[in-house]
């Protein structure tokens, strides 16, 4: 089966499962999509994959996390240094893993539509974070949807930006961090003077970014769901069990490795199932 479209869900560190899955599957069958939609950490993983830098990204992430003993530094509350180190470390990983050659490959490869969320007009940036995260968690725990709708109902809107439009690694890091913007772990970010938040506030599985394009779609999730949608020309894949690493835990590199390896194992299982389906 050929996939013209691939979607990378968000999920923080859990998205290294997607990297492992891609690593296994791409060795046995060509994954050459024309269109990609990605959000939050899924956008970082998709860019690393398309740039041919997934192993470098994995190793640099583990190295950076090895030097970070805590996820929170309350002693910095009254200093110029941030209480949460995530934004600095996230940017460091991107800047070290991707280079100018990576940008060339991103411009030559498939279009990668990265999702940003614009906040409702009736909310400020910080209140939008509280409302958006609360809505996401309520809908997640009550209804377990793959594609949440409450955020859009509250007024969060989408903007997709092509990774290929970034002129340098710094602007690419800005785009990825904007798509991942989740205070207090990261500061509120802005695009053209408008505040933006994690695209997952609209939909953490941004299929709507590639819906208008033809062809089969492979959707890479980052956590198990109780029930997956059954939609023609679309295949959803998910971890076979809950991954060990937490989304915003930047202290346990061994769990990053285990998450990647679970993705590899699940990729092999998927190949077997695809063969039976064919």
């Amino acid at each position: 089966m050929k996939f013209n479209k691939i979607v990378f869900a968000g999920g923080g560190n859990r998205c290294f499962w997607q990297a492992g899955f891609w690593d296994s599957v791409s060795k046995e069958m060509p994954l050459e999509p024309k269109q990609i939609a990605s959000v939050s950490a899924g956008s970082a993983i998709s860019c690393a994959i398309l740039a041919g830098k997934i192993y470098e990204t994995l190793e640099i992430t583990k190295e950076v996390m090895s030097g970070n003993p805590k996820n929170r530094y309350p002693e910095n509350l009254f200093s110029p240094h941030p209480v949460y180190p995530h934004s600095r470390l996230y940017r460091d990983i991107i800047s070290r893993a991707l280079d100018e050659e990576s940008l060339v490959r991103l411009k030559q490869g498939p279009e990668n539509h990265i999702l940003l969320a614009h906040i409702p007009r009736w909310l400020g940036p910080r209140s939008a974070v509280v409302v958006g995260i609360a809505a996401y968690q309520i809908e997640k725990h009550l209804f377990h949807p793959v594609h949440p709708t409450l955020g859009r109902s509250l007024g969060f809107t989408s903007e997709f930006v092509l990774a290929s439009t970034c002129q340098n690694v710094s602007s690419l890091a800005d785009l990825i961090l904007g798509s991942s913007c989740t205070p207090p772990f990261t500061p509120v970010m802005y695009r053209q003077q408008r505040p933006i938040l994690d695209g997952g506030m609209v939909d953490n599985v941004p299929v709507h970014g590639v819906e208008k394009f033809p062809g089969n779609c492979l959707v890479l999730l980052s956590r198990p769901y109780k029930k997956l949608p059954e939609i023609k020309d679309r295949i959803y894949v998910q971890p076979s069990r809950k991954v060990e690493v937490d989304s915003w835990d930047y202290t346990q590199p061994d769990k990053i490795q285990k998450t990647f390896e679970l993705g590899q194992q699940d990729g092999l299982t998927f190949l077997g199932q695809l063969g039976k389906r064919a």
Side-chain angles (χ1 to χ4, degrees), residues 60 88-99 169-170 173:
I60 288 170
R88 174 179 60 81
L89 300 178
Y90 199 169
R91 185 178 292 275
D92 185 32
I93 291 167
I94 296 168
S95 299
R96 291 175 57 189
L98 303 180
D99 53 21
V169 175
S170 178

Side-chain angles (χ1 to χ4, degrees), residues 148-163:
T149 59
L150 188 52
R152 287 188 231 200
S153 299
L154 291 170
F156 288 92
T157 57
S158 298
E159 179 186 4
F160 285 96
V161 180
L162 290 175

Side-chain angles (χ1 to χ4, degrees), residues 40-62:
S40 196
S43 69
I45 293 298
S46 64
C47 286
I49 287 172
L50 297 178
K53 297 284 188 177
I54 193 56
Y55 298 119
E56 290 89 340
T57 302
L58 176 65
E59 293 306 316
I60 288 170
T61 299
K62 292 190 295 181

Side-chain angles (χ1 to χ4, degrees), residues 29-136:
M29 64 176 289
L31 289 175
E32 300 173 343
K34 294 182 179 179
Q35 303 291 336
I36 284 175
S38 59
V39 66
S40 196
S43 69
I45 293 298
S46 64
C47 286
I49 287 172
L50 297 178
K53 297 284 188 177
I54 193 56
Y55 298 119
E56 290 89 340
T57 302
L58 176 65
E59 293 306 316
I60 288 170
T61 299
K62 292 190 295 181
E63 178 187 334
V64 167
M65 291 185 180
S66 295
N68 178 55
K70 297 189 297 183
N71 285 310
R72 186 170 178 265
Y73 295 84
E75 63 271 22
N76 290 341
L77 189 59
F78 300 105
S79 79
H81 304 291
V83 172
Y84 294 92
H86 302 76
S87 181
R88 174 179 60 81
L89 300 178
Y90 199 169
R91 185 178 292 275
D92 185 32
I93 291 167
I94 296 168
S95 299
R96 291 175 57 189
L98 303 180
D99 53 21
E100 296 304 318
E101 180 184 344
S102 302
L103 291 177
V104 172
R105 296 190 67 167
L106 290 177
K107 291 179 185 297
Q108 294 174 341
E111 293 187 332
N112 188 358
H113 307 258
I114 296 179
L115 175 61
L116 307 174
H118 289 286
I119 68 174
R121 295 187 180 275
W122 56 279
L123 290 173
R126 298 194 181 281
S127 58
V129 172
V130 176
V131 170
I133 291 177
Y136 177 80

